[in-house]
Amino acid sequence: MKIYKIVSMMSGTSLDGLDLCYCHIWKKKDKWEFEIKKTKSIAYSEEMQLELKDSIFLKADDLLQLHNTYGVWLGEQVNTFITENSLEVDFVASHGHTTHHQPQNGLTFQIGSGQHLANTCEIMTICDFRSNDVALGGQGAPLVPIGDQIFFGTYDFCLNLGGISNISFEAKGKRIAYDIGLANMILNHITRKIDLAYDKGGGMARTGSVNVDMLKALNNLKYYALPFPKSIGYEWFVEEVAPIVDSTKDSVENLLHTAVHHISEKVAQQISLNLNTDKGILLVTGGGGLNDFLIETLQHKLGDSIKVHVPSKIMIEFKEALVFALMGVLRLEKEINVLSSVTGAKRDSSSGVIYIPN
Ligand SMILES: Nc1ncnc2c1ncn2[C@@H]1O[C@H](COP(=O)(O)OP(=O)(O)OP(=O)(O)O)[C@@H](O)[C@H]1O
Ligand SMILES: CC(=O)N[C@H]1[C@@H]2OC[C@@H](O2)[C@@H](O)[C@@H]1O[C@H](C)C(=O)O
């Protein structure tokens, strides 16, 4: 039995940092299985956070430069992670960092040049998992649902509360998934007003109260009324959401409290629309799983028919990185790793570009 040994990396939209995961993945009796062996999170410096956040405004040559230097930086992080833990590695799977995501215009771009990365760590690297699906007319996102199906299929719903919230579930024998909308991106945007990276445990949000006008404006965002397949990027936040938050004159506590109600209301709505059992389990991963106030508010809005399950901190933080490792394995095995039932592409695909160090 072949056991794949992988270092995978994810840099998400909340811009908190880079997640590295070392795992083993193997197939037993036609079923993929995994074990997470080591993990590491590297918080972005304030400078790097700003550089990545503002990358949507860069000129093409500056963006390409960043693509290359960030690729080298990723390779260096792989080297350090391997040395620190004396790891044996077959390949690296890297999501990169999404700077542009406009599937409606036929484009998505994750920086972190695969060739620079592979050359820096001298290990075969698989990355650029989204472009092929967009070329096939799909959203190129979300991609993690293939992992939900293969590794976490016993849950009725899988919810990711990252920078953006997205959900995945089985309906009529098919995996369905889409970005629901806001999550930590809006919460972090609010706390940055007082130079705070995030609201730990939702403690500040808990002490606030709802700003009715802001809640109404957020709930009325056009994206929520669109049918799936659908996905969003940081561009959407800058254009549609930030103006609502920034024009609301209220305390940080009230802004946070309102945003938590909005996030959980939208998630609960999507679940009740797609619930076809009277007792279901919702797996929640992503940093929002560590926001106690958000989880409590969500459970309250969901009522008794769905039990929110928050797994271990490792699973909360590294599930996405783990799934990119699985996607790399599936790519090498020429098995499907992107589902058109989720993205709306012309067909399923085995996506990801393979770079050999040179
Ligand atoms: N203890 C905590 N309490 C409250 N919120 C937290 C806590 N720890 C992390 N978070 C929130 O989770 C965010 C990180 O979440 P995560 O790493 O899942 O996002 P991401 O992977 O960047 O996003 P995406 O999945 O959208 O790409 C942080 O920026 C912060 O807002
Ligand atoms: C384009 C892009 O990077 N999208 C991210 C983002 O962050 C959450 C949500 O929006 C999801 O669609 C996706 O990430 C995860 C890893 C995914 O593809 O499943």
Side-chain angles (χ1 to χ4, degrees):
M1 180 173 61
K2 165 80 183 158
I3 300 179
Y4 284 98
K5 297 169 182 164
I6 312 126
V7 169
S8 59
M9 292 185 286
M10 174 71 202
S11 174
T13 54
S14 80
L15 272 168
D16 56 336
L18 176 71
D19 294 330
L20 292 105
C21 174
Y22 176 64
C23 64
H24 288 185
I25 294 182
W26 64 94
K27 200 179 217 177
K28 196 172 159 190
K29 292 187 186 148
D30 272 347
K31 219 178 147 292
W32 288 107
E33 297 182 358
F34 70 90
E35 189 180 346
I36 295 178
K37 299 276 190 185
K38 294 276 174 208
T39 57
K40 181 181 181 182
S41 289
I42 301 169
Y44 286 132
S45 64
E46 207 154 304
E47 191 191 346
M48 204 156 164
Q49 217 176 55
L50 263 185
E51 195 174 20
L52 292 175
K53 189 153 85 80
D54 290 345
S55 56
I56 53 167
F57 306 115
L58 288 178
K59 286 196 297 174
D61 47 357
D62 290 334
L63 181 65
L64 291 172
Q65 193 105 54
L66 182 63
H67 178 50
N68 296 344
T69 54
Y70 184 68
V72 171
W73 184 80
L74 289 174
E76 289 167 352
Q77 306 321 305
V78 171
N79 285 337
T80 309
F81 187 49
I82 289 177
T83 309
E84 281 168 352
N85 299 289
S86 310
L87 305 177
E88 205 182 296
V89 179
D90 293 325
F91 72 89
V92 171
S94 171
H95 170 265
H97 186 84
T98 298
T99 58
H100 294 71
H101 185 65
Q102 299 160 28
Q104 70 281 9
N105 299 325
L107 67 93
T108 186
F109 188 54
Q110 285 68 49
I111 56 163
S113 155
Q115 194 65 63
H116 287 74
L117 203 174
N119 289 0
T120 305
C121 62
E122 297 182 337
I123 301 173
M124 176 172 74
T125 296
I126 311 181
C127 59
D128 193 5
F129 288 98
R130 300 190 192 273
S131 321
N132 185 46
D133 185 79
V134 172
L136 290 168
Q139 293 288 313
L143 299 182
V144 169
I146 184 73
D148 295 342
Q149 183 175 68
I150 292 177
F151 287 154
F152 304 98
T154 54
Y155 293 96
D156 298 282
F157 294 91
C158 293
L159 172 70
N160 168 52
L161 292 174
I164 287 165
S165 62
N166 57 291
I167 193 150
S168 118
F169 53 90
E170 211 75 22
K172 296 186 187 137
K174 277 191 194 163
R175 177 99 345 211
I176 303 294
Y178 47 91
D179 288 348
I180 296 178
L182 291 166
N184 292 306
M185 204 179 262
I186 184 170
L187 299 177
N188 293 355
H189 179 81
I190 296 168
T191 57
R192 267 189 218 115
K193 292 179 188 296
I194 50 166
D195 285 330
L196 195 67
Y198 66 95
D199 179 20
K200 196 164 184 202
M204 288 181 73
R206 193 187 285 280
T207 63
S209 54
V210 169
N211 179 307
V212 178
D213 292 337
M214 175 168 143
L215 184 61
K216 206 165 146 194
L218 292 176
N219 284 344
N220 285 340
L221 283 163
K222 286 198 287 282
Y223 176 78
Y224 290 112
L226 295 178
F228 108 99
K230 58 178 180 174
S231 64
I232 32 179
Y234 182 58
E235 293 96 323
W236 173 71
F237 184 84
V238 171
E239 286 157 22
E240 312 256 338
V241 183
I244 296 175
V245 179
D246 296 343
S247 63
T248 306
K249 303 282 166 261
D250 208 336
S251 68
V252 165
E253 288 82 356
N254 288 355
L255 297 182
L256 287 168
H257 189 92
T258 307
V260 164
H261 272 273
H262 166 73
I263 295 164
S264 42
E265 214 160 289
K266 289 295 168 193
V267 171
Q269 250 172 30
Q270 291 308 309
I271 289 181
S272 72
L273 277 174
N274 294 291
L275 186 65
N276 44 29
T277 153
D278 30 329
K279 280 265 172 283
I281 304 185
L282 166 71
L283 175 71
V284 181
T285 54
L290 299 169
N291 185 326
D292 302 328
F293 179 59
L294 175 57
I295 295 298
E296 282 166 35
T297 310
L298 176 61
Q299 180 67 78
H300 182 73
K301 290 193 193 284
L302 286 168
D304 291 337
S305 50
I306 276 275
K307 172 94 190 77
V308 176
H309 175 69
V310 180
S312 67
K313 196 160 183 273
I314 294 269
M315 199 48 79
I316 287 180
E317 292 180 352
F318 296 95
K319 179 180 157 234
E320 286 187 339
L322 166 73
V323 173
F324 280 97
L326 171 68
M327 290 185 69
V329 171
L330 296 173
R331 173 71 181 88
L332 292 178
E333 294 276 331
K334 299 188 174 61
E335 288 188 27
I336 284 162
N337 65 5
V338 178
L339 300 170
S340 56
S341 63
V342 168
T343 64
K346 279 203 244 2
R347 55 175 167 81
D348 292 342
S349 63
S350 189
S351 290
V353 180
I354 302 173
Y355 289 90
I356 308 295
N358 204 333

